[in-house]
Amino acid sequence: MAVWKYRLEFEGKLLRELLHKEEETIENIIAIYNQLIICLEKLKRRLLKSDKEDWEYEIENMIEDLQCACPDVKDDSLDYKDEQENLNYYLRDFYDMCDSVRVWVGV
């Protein structure tokens, strides 16, 4: 069993709730992006000094990528399936990073 160094209990729980919503809307995708950013910002603030050098820059880059990738709800040309595919890519990166940093994401 993994030993977790960090915990995103409340933030992670909200993320998982958004991921399990049955709604297939752009608004839900945007909410997930925003919650991912909140999780990463919280993790960045909690990093131990020994982990900052290794992970702070990676986390900042991921936040910037998520902010750029987050769709604009006002854009009528958005395709849900395309946006979902993009989001899944970032979710994989997020969870891979959490595994590497040893972050437990709340359930």
Side-chain angles (χ1 to χ4, degrees), residues 37 40 44 54-69 90 93 97:
I37 292 167
L40 289 166
K44 187 176 121 180
D54 293 331
W55 294 106
E56 189 171 43
Y57 181 74
E58 294 286 330
I59 292 170
E60 288 172 353
N61 279 342
M62 187 174 283
I63 290 170
E64 286 178 27
D65 289 348
L66 291 169
Q67 289 169 335
C68 290
Y90 288 107
D93 278 356
M97 179 185 285

Side-chain angles (χ1 to χ4, degrees), residues 42-104:
K42 181 71 85 170
L43 174 60
K44 187 176 121 180
R45 286 193 302 273
R46 291 182 180 169
L47 284 176
L48 300 173
K49 215 177 241 187
S50 58
D51 288 331
K52 279 192 181 211
E53 188 175 313
D54 293 331
W55 294 106
E56 189 171 43
Y57 181 74
E58 294 286 330
I59 292 170
E60 288 172 353
N61 279 342
M62 187 174 283
I63 290 170
E64 286 178 27
D65 289 348
L66 291 169
Q67 289 169 335
C68 290
C70 187
D72 181 359
V73 74
K74 296 174 188 169
D75 185 350
D76 294 331
S77 67
L78 294 174
D79 178 68
Y80 178 81
K81 295 290 183 196
D82 290 342
E83 294 303 326
Q84 183 181 41
E85 188 175 314
N86 289 339
L87 176 61
N88 287 337
Y89 169 83
Y90 288 107
L91 283 167
R92 275 189 299 278
D93 278 356
F94 172 77
Y95 281 110
D96 286 347
M97 179 185 285
C98 287
D99 286 343
S100 296
V101 183
R102 297 190 340 227
V103 178
W104 183 77

